[in-house]
Amino acid sequence: MSAATGDVRKVMGGPLPSLPIWEKRGRNIPRRAELSLNRLPGILLRHDYIEDGEERHVLLFANPNSKERRNNITIKVSFDDGQTWPEEYWTLLDEGRGAGYSCMTSIDEHTIGIFYEGAKPTSSSQAIPLKELLKK
């Protein structure tokens, strides 16, 4: 897989116990309460990049960061294949109430693209530098 290509998995919410465990290259990504998947849609993206000459990857997850409403569209980062989603790596994109559906892609090695139905009457799209999400 090239650095500019991501592995995208769409996650449709349901009560947390009914969600699947994803399998990727022999690794399991467990259900995580901090992903706020209570009946709200989300998108999971594996993004590969090179840092200091080493191949690296992160998992990015975007959805409404709420268990009750479709608000607070947030991107969360995991450095350990979904085992943890440290809150300091959560990026709030839109705090208003909207439809909440989103789609995410790797534009290139250094940029993540996201399209989402936020609080505005129309959908929004953003190109976000990876270093912004990784707080570098």
Side-chain angles (χ1 to χ4, degrees):
M1 179 182 306
S2 74
T5 314
D7 180 21
V8 179
R9 303 201 182 202
K10 184 83 175 187
V11 180
M12 293 306 291
L16 281 173
S18 69
L19 288 174
I21 293 179
W22 301 285
E23 290 186 25
K24 176 68 177 153
R25 296 184 184 164
R27 292 179 231 133
N28 288 332
I29 304 169
R31 296 177 281 254
R32 303 299 304 177
E34 61 266 28
L35 296 183
S36 302
L37 288 175
N38 193 7
R39 294 191 171 96
L40 299 175
I43 190 80
L44 180 69
L45 170 73
R46 176 188 160 123
H47 180 77
D48 297 314
Y49 63 101
I50 296 175
E51 182 178 75
D52 299 328
E54 283 189 41
E55 291 184 12
R56 298 178 185 259
H57 72 272
V58 291
L59 290 183
L60 303 171
F61 182 81
N63 82 326
N65 191 28
S66 172
K67 292 186 178 177
E68 299 170 5
R69 300 197 193 304
R70 293 181 179 205
N71 61 336
N72 298 326
I73 303 290
T74 303
I75 296 177
K76 299 175 182 178
V77 179
S78 175
F79 298 94
D80 57 10
D81 292 322
Q83 298 300 311
T84 61
W85 301 87
E87 198 165 340
E88 62 267 25
Y89 295 100
W90 295 6
T91 302
L92 177 65
L93 302 178
D94 189 331
E95 62 187 22
R97 188 170 181 181
Y101 294 98
S102 59
C103 183
M104 202 168 27
T105 189
S106 298
I107 295 174
D108 61 32
E109 183 180 339
H110 308 288
T111 314
I112 302 300
I114 185 165
F115 175 83
Y116 60 92
E117 297 174 313
K120 297 179 182 178
T122 58
S123 297
S124 299
S125 62
Q126 290 181 265
I128 304 169
L130 182 63
K131 64 182 180 181
E132 188 176 307
L133 295 172
L134 303 183
K135 312 294 185 200
K136 294 187 176 193

